[in-house]
Amino acid sequence: MFGIVRPCTHRLTDGLKAEWMAHLCGLCLALRSGHGQFARVVTNYDGLIVSVLTEAQAERTLASRRTAGPCPLRAMRTAPVARGEGARLAAAVSLVLASAKIRDHVADRDGVLARRPVAAPALRVAAGWDRAGARTGAELGFDTAVLLDAIERQSGIEALAGPGTSLLTVTEPTETATAAAFAHTAVLAGRPENVAPLAEAGRLFGRLAHLLDAVEDSKADAASGAWNPLAATGTSQAGARRLADDAVHGVRLALRDARFADDRLVHVLLAHELRNSVNRAFGTTTCAHQGYGGPPQGGPYQGQGGQYGQGPGGQGPYGSNNPGGPGGPGGMPPGFHQEPQKPGRRGFWAGCAAFIGLCCTCKLRCAEEYEGPWSRKKREGCCHKCDCDCCECCSCDC
């Protein structure tokens, strides 16, 4: 899974967790039905937002759900899953953007894709995904050429970027691609009045996706010498944070101008969880389940009044200090001055074997804690529940 909106399921209350899972599984099954089993690897958390937006603008019907068969990631249980044009559009967009991610990694010579015997077939897979996404998009009246054009322009823009170049110049292709995808959800839902506000929300969402990816990769890119937008343009972390905060606020304002039949899940994902994504990327997370140290600093709307139209102010996630955390004062026994060495990442095939084991034992779904198959980071099963109240969704009425 990849994406910037990765909600802690403890915050998805009032049946929204089941709705979120329905769209996630619906995207996965739409990829399988339309493009084969292997295409399911591009299932991602951000792609399902396209499906959520499409459904939120239209009246719910019985045809919008179907019961899916048992799946290892659902502990071999059946479940209602989303289906229809929204899920198919999400699948088309996910395929095209995943192919762009592969080409980007090949160009940057990242990890296993730095090896030519691996890079060549990966590029063929990416080209196949482009064609598959274009087919599905055409069936839905969506021209994926705008996505492909943005992908092609990205490398040229990055090649010309240097100190003094606006970071927004680098993020523009991603903004254009996501704006087109968000706007087409209004077309599918028969809500022409929503095209403009959702295009604006999508543009800012794309900006956030590019910014947060750059922030999260900055240390690794600096160590490996890979190209990074922040380093290339000379943008500081503080400058990137200001742009991210402005984008989150802009998404909220844009959503305020759109009309929805049921906007509860859209509101949680694009108003609440985007803020949490920014906090997570910049190390000021507000959810203790994400594995960062220090006490929670309050909900995502602390000091903001909890309304769509209000700007940031006061205390809370903006610049809050968090001196605690692993290895902080009092966190180590006397005489211990450094963190114990963490286990290294698993290789590709060893990670595949570990992933199969996790699926067969249902730990991905139900375990209180498990070790990531490739990264070996500690993770939590997606339906594990706890009694703590630090992840409860804020009670704002916006």
Side-chain angles (χ1 to χ4, degrees), residues 181-276:
F182 274 44
H184 198 69
T185 65
V187 176
L188 295 180
R191 293 270 192 176
E193 69 275 16
N194 286 350
V195 169
L198 290 185
E200 176 66 7
R203 183 179 67 82
L204 295 172
F205 183 87
R207 179 182 299 178
L208 270 174
H210 205 133
L211 279 174
L212 299 189
D213 183 65
V215 170
E216 291 177 343
D217 292 347
S218 58
K219 291 183 179 179
D221 289 345
S224 64
W227 193 90
N228 185 280
L230 302 184
T233 60
T235 304
S236 66
Q237 291 274 325
R241 179 65 191 251
R242 284 193 295 272
L243 290 173
D245 288 338
D246 288 345
V248 170
H249 183 54
V251 168
R252 295 176 180 180
L253 293 178
L255 291 178
R256 192 180 182 185
D257 293 335
R259 297 177 61 188
F260 297 95
D262 182 355
D263 68 344
R264 291 178 303 152
L265 186 55
V266 169
H267 178 68
V268 169
L269 295 179
L270 293 180
H272 295 240
E273 291 302 334
L274 271 187
R275 167 59 54 201
N276 293 326

Side-chain angles (χ1 to χ4, degrees), residues 59-298:
E59 294 294 337
R60 176 76 64 84
T61 65
L62 293 177
S64 64
R65 288 287 184 274
R66 73 176 180 87
T67 301
C71 174
L73 299 184
R74 292 194 300 268
M76 300 307 294
R77 300 188 183 102
T78 60
V81 300
R83 66 175 177 180
E85 294 182 331
R88 295 177 65 208
L89 178 61
V93 171
S94 296
L95 284 167
V96 175
L97 297 184
S99 73
K101 199 173 186 71
I102 288 178
R103 281 193 287 269
D104 184 55
H105 284 305
V106 171
D108 292 340
R109 301 182 65 82
D110 287 341
V112 70
L113 292 179
R115 302 171 184 175
R116 186 172 299 176
V118 178
L123 290 174
R124 287 196 294 271
V125 169
W129 284 348
D130 283 339
R131 293 190 296 270
R135 280 197 310 272
T136 301
E139 294 170 2
L140 298 171
F142 179 64
D143 188 0
T144 59
V146 65
L147 307 184
L148 296 172
D149 175 68
I151 293 167
E152 292 173 358
R153 288 189 294 108
Q154 186 71 55
S155 58
I157 291 174
E158 291 179 358
L160 296 174
T165 302
S166 171
L167 188 59
L168 299 186
T169 300
V170 180
T171 62
E172 180 274 324
T174 308
E175 295 178 20
T176 300
T178 51
F182 274 44
H184 198 69
T185 65
V187 176
L188 295 180
R191 293 270 192 176
E193 69 275 16
N194 286 350
V195 169
L198 290 185
E200 176 66 7
R203 183 179 67 82
L204 295 172
F205 183 87
R207 179 182 299 178
L208 270 174
H210 205 133
L211 279 174
L212 299 189
D213 183 65
V215 170
E216 291 177 343
D217 292 347
S218 58
K219 291 183 179 179
D221 289 345
S224 64
W227 193 90
N228 185 280
L230 302 184
T233 60
T235 304
S236 66
Q237 291 274 325
R241 179 65 191 251
R242 284 193 295 272
L243 290 173
D245 288 338
D246 288 345
V248 170
H249 183 54
V251 168
R252 295 176 180 180
L253 293 178
L255 291 178
R256 192 180 182 185
D257 293 335
R259 297 177 61 188
F260 297 95
D262 182 355
D263 68 344
R264 291 178 303 152
L265 186 55
V266 169
H267 178 68
V268 169
L269 295 179
L270 293 180
H272 295 240
E273 291 302 334
L274 271 187
R275 167 59 54 201
N276 293 326
S277 299
V278 172
N279 289 333
R280 180 173 58 244
F282 286 92
T284 55
T285 184
T286 57
C287 179
H289 294 92
Q290 301 298 333
Y292 296 96
Q297 302 295 321

